[in-house]
Amino acid sequence: MTATVTTTSAQPAPAGITFPDGFVWGAATASYQIEGAAREDGRGPSIWDTFSRTPGKVHAGHTGDVACDHYHRYAEDVALMADLGLGAYRFSVAWPRIQPDGTGPVNVRGLDFYDRLTDELLAKGINPVVTLYHWDLPQTLEDRGGWANRETAEAFAEYAQIVHRRLGDRVATWTTLNEPWCSAYLGYGSGIHAPGVQDPAKAFQAAHHLNLAHGLAARALRSAGAQNISITLNPCQVAPLDPANPADVDAARLIDGVANRIFFDPLLLGKYPSDVLEHIARITDPSFIRDGDEAIINAPLDVLGINFYTPSYVRALPGAPGALDYPGSQGIAFRPPVGPVTDMNWQIEPASLTRLLTRIHRDYPGTPLMITENGAAYPEGPGENGEVQDLRRIEYIDAHLRACHDALAEGVDLRGYFAWSLMDNFEWAEGYAKRFGIVHVDYTTQQRVLKDSAKWYREVIRRNGLE
Ligand code: FCB
C-alpha cells in the first residue's frame, strides 16, 4: 500500500519495521462463531445452543444456528485466506460434532468435516492450527456439572485423542483450550457466557478443572506424537491506578492472581501461588485441588498463545461490590475506559501489550509466545462503492503490531500474530452486533467482502512488516 501522507504537524510518520524471518502471519476463528450447521451430520447440542436460546442471554436472541455458514462454505473461505497470503489459520473443533454426548460414541461425520478443512488448507499451503476447545461444551457434560465437575477434564483428554488420531498426521500445532479465564469466570462467575451460572465456588472449580483438562490432554497428545502443544490464555494486563498507593497495588495483585497467575503458575511453574490458594480458600473448600494435580497441569508447552485486546486498571475502593467475573474482588473497582475505545467499549492502549509480553517473558521464561488473537470491533460495512473502509481497524492492528515489535526488541520470543478475526461472526453474548472481521459478512446473503483492513493485512504479510 502506498500511503500519501500530508502532515500539518511536525509528527514524523512511524518508521517501517520488519518482523523476524519465519514470523507466522495468521487469522483466527472459532467453531460456534462461524460454522452454523448446528444440527447437521450428527452434531449434538452445546452449551451455547442452550444459552443462546435462553431469553435475554444473547443480543436480540441471536444464535449460532447458521452463523457464517462456514460448515458449507469452508472451501470459499480457505480460498479467501489464500488470497490474503495467510501462513496459518487458527480454527477450533466443535466437541459436540465429534462426541455428540461429550463422552462415548464418536461421530465420524464430524471428524470428516475437519478432515476436509485440513486438507483444503494444506492444499493452499496454509498451516492448520487446531484449538480443541473454544467454549462449545457438549450440553450433556454440562448437565453433569460441566467444568465444575472433575470428570469433564477426563472426558476432554479422551476427546483430544480422538481428534488427534484423525488429524495428527497433518496437524502439527495442538492448542488445548482457548481462554480458560472466560470459560471459568464468564461461564460460572458472572454468567454472561454459557452456561450462565453465577457461583464463585464453581468458577474456581471450573478454573482448576480446565487447567487439569489441559494437563491431561497435553500429556495424552504428547504421547500420541503431537509436535507442538499449546494453550491460549487471555491475560488481564492489570495495573494499579495509583502505583504509589499500596492499597491499589494490592488490588492489582489480587486481580492478577485470580485472572493470570491461577493459570500461568500451575501451567508453567507447576504450582498455584500461595496467595491465590488462600484467596480460593476464603471462598470455598479448596479440596477439589488434589495432590498431584499441579504436576499434571505442568505438562511441557511448546508455545503459549496470548490473546490481547485491552488493558485494565484497578483501585481499592472500600464498599465496591467487585466484579462477579473476578470472584472475591469486593472492595476493588475497575476504572472505566479512558481515551479511544473500540465498538466493544474496550480501551485502546497498544503499549500495554508490550508490557504484558515483557512481563510474561520475565516471569515465565523459556516458552515461545504467539499472539493467537488481537483485533477490534468496528461497525463499518460496505459503502456505495461496495468497499469497506475500516481505517480504525487498520490503525488498531498497525499499532498493536508495533507493540509486538517493541516486545521483540526487548528480547521477547514472539513467533507470530493471528488477527481476530478472519471474518465477522457470532460474537457470543453480543450476537452478530459486533463485527471483528477483516472480511465483512452479509448475514442475509452470506457474501464475503474483503474490508480495507484485509487488503492492508495482505500487504503486511507480503512485506513481513509495516511501512
Ligand atoms: C476472545 C474470544 C474470541 C472473540 C474475541 C473478541 O475472548 O476468544 O472468540 O470473541 O474475544
Side-chain angles (χ1 to χ4, degrees), residues 65 148 308 357 431 445:
D65 282 2
F308 178 82
L357 293 172
T445 62

Side-chain angles (χ1 to χ4, degrees), residues 30 33 90 134-135 178-179 182 234 307 309 344 346 373 420 425-428 436:
Q33 295 183 277
R90 173 177 182 250
H134 199 131
W135 307 353
N178 177 70
E179 301 189 353
C182 293
N234 60 321
N307 293 352
Y309 293 93
M344 298 291 278
W346 290 350
E373 283 182 31
W420 183 271
N425 58 49
F426 176 83
E427 177 45 38
W428 308 113
F436 274 91

Side-chain angles (χ1 to χ4, degrees), residues 115-136:
D115 201 275
R116 291 194 293 276
L117 173 61
T118 299
D119 282 347
E120 192 72 24
L121 288 164
L122 291 171
K124 294 272 194 299
I126 300 166
N127 200 7
V129 173
V130 167
T131 299
L132 286 162
Y133 184 72
H134 199 131
W135 307 353
D136 37 6

Side-chain angles (χ1 to χ4, degrees), residues 40-332:
E40 248 169 273
D41 291 342
R43 177 186 178 277
S46 81
I47 54 174
W48 273 95
D49 296 280
T50 309
F51 190 72
S52 61
R53 280 190 171 62
T54 310
K57 297 298 185 191
V58 172
H59 171 85
H62 291 168
T63 74
D65 282 2
V66 178
C68 307
D69 195 32
H70 172 76
Y71 191 79
H72 300 114
R73 294 168 195 264
Y74 71 92
E76 179 194 341
D77 291 334
V78 173
L80 276 177
M81 298 176 212
D83 177 31
L84 295 179
L86 295 188
Y89 172 54
R90 173 177 182 250
F91 62 94
S92 77
V93 174
W95 187 346
R97 284 197 197 284
I98 309 304
Q99 286 177 296
D101 288 326
T103 54
V106 175
N107 175 39
V108 174
R109 286 176 297 169
L111 285 169
D112 289 345
F113 169 67
Y114 298 103
D115 201 275
R116 291 194 293 276
L117 173 61
T118 299
D119 282 347
E120 192 72 24
L121 288 164
L122 291 171
K124 294 272 194 299
I126 300 166
N127 200 7
V129 173
V130 167
T131 299
L132 286 162
Y133 184 72
H134 199 131
W135 307 353
D136 37 6
L137 188 73
Q139 180 61 44
T140 37
L141 291 182
E142 182 54 37
D143 297 342
R144 285 181 242 143
W147 288 110
N149 179 354
R150 188 178 174 96
E151 285 170 15
T152 300
E154 286 149 21
F156 178 71
E158 183 193 320
Y159 150 71
Q161 292 171 79
I162 294 166
V163 182
H164 181 266
R165 264 199 292 281
R166 183 70 183 267
L167 302 181
D169 57 337
R170 284 154 291 155
V171 170
T173 304
W174 292 85
T175 307
T176 53
L177 307 174
N178 177 70
E179 301 189 353
W181 179 86
C182 293
S183 301
Y185 299 124
L186 301 183
Y188 298 86
S190 66
I192 69 158
H193 278 186
V197 174
Q198 289 191 346
D199 180 333
K202 285 190 175 162
F204 284 123
Q205 289 159 16
H208 176 63
H209 295 145
L210 283 151
N211 279 335
L212 187 63
H214 162 80
L216 292 169
R219 286 168 192 284
L221 290 168
R222 178 84 65 201
S223 52
Q227 291 167 34
N228 292 318
I229 295 185
S230 171
I231 183 170
T232 279
L233 302 179
N234 60 321
C236 173
Q237 171 49 33
V238 58
L241 197 52
D242 177 2
N245 178 347
D248 286 7
V249 171
D250 199 51
R253 175 201 55 79
L254 189 143
I255 296 298
D256 182 55
V258 171
N260 301 328
R261 289 179 288 115
I262 196 172
F263 300 110
F264 279 115
D265 283 34
L267 284 167
L268 295 160
L269 308 177
K271 225 173 161 18
Y272 282 109
S274 55
D275 65 325
V276 172
L277 288 176
E278 284 160 23
H279 183 75
I280 295 173
R282 277 194 290 274
I283 289 171
T284 185
D285 174 0
S287 60
F288 58 86
I289 304 174
R290 298 193 191 157
D291 281 354
D293 284 358
E294 289 156 307
I296 295 171
I297 298 166
N298 184 215
L301 275 183
D302 302 288
V303 58
L304 175 61
I306 299 295
N307 293 352
F308 178 82
Y309 293 93
T310 188
S312 297
Y313 290 89
V314 296
R315 67 185 167 121
L317 183 66
L324 291 175
D325 38 19
Y326 298 87
S329 63
Q330 292 83 352
I332 295 176

